[in-house]
């Protein structure tokens, strides 16, 4: 029977070899990164809004900044207007 390891185990092995991370730490890093990139556009917009708002930014600059960040996501969503971003946050 073949050993069927999840595909990210190769990445964990690589991190263990190339960094000072222990296997458990490397696995947590990989899972955190995968979760980050699995975040939906709506979840990203809401999370960034909360983060920027808690840092003291006002909505006008928050939505401009989020709009500028979205195209740089690993899988960029279609361009969203500032109004669409506001609707994601406030419904």
């Amino acid at each position: 029977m073949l050993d069927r390891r999840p595909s990210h185990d190769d990445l964990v092995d690589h991190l263990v070899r190339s960094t000072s991370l222990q296997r458990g730490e490397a696995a947590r890093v990989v899972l955190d990164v995968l979760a980050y990139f699995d975040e939906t556009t709506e979840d990203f917009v809401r999370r960034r809004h909360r983060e920027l708002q808690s840092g003291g930014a006002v909505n006008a600059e928050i939505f401009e900044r989020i709009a500028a960040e979205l195209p740089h996501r690993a899988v960029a969503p279609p361009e969203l207007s500032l109004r669409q971003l506001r609707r994601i946050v406030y419904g």
Side-chain angles (χ1 to χ4, degrees):
M1 174 85 54
L2 291 174
D3 178 24
R4 294 195 173 213
R5 299 186 309 167
S7 62
H8 64 270
D9 276 356
D10 288 340
L11 179 55
V12 171
D13 293 340
H14 172 74
L15 289 173
V16 169
R17 284 191 310 272
S18 63
T19 68
S20 61
L21 295 174
Q22 299 297 313
R23 184 160 188 77
E25 295 168 323
R28 281 191 301 278
V29 167
V30 168
L31 292 175
D32 283 349
V33 170
L34 291 174
Y36 176 83
F37 285 114
D38 196 34
E39 185 176 44
T40 67
T41 299
E42 290 80 8
D43 289 341
F44 172 78
V45 169
R46 289 183 191 108
R47 176 178 60 80
R48 285 299 289 146
H49 182 269
R50 280 191 311 273
E51 291 171 353
L52 295 168
Q53 196 173 47
S54 70
V58 296
N59 276 342
E61 57 190 83
I62 288 173
F63 291 117
E64 289 285 342
R65 181 148 174 202
I66 291 171
E69 291 176 358
L70 281 172
H72 302 286
R73 300 278 298 158
V75 178
E79 186 174 339
L80 299 172
S81 70
L82 298 180
R83 182 173 187 220
Q84 289 170 307
L85 293 173
R86 285 184 191 91
R87 290 186 66 123
I88 288 172
V89 173
Y90 296 112

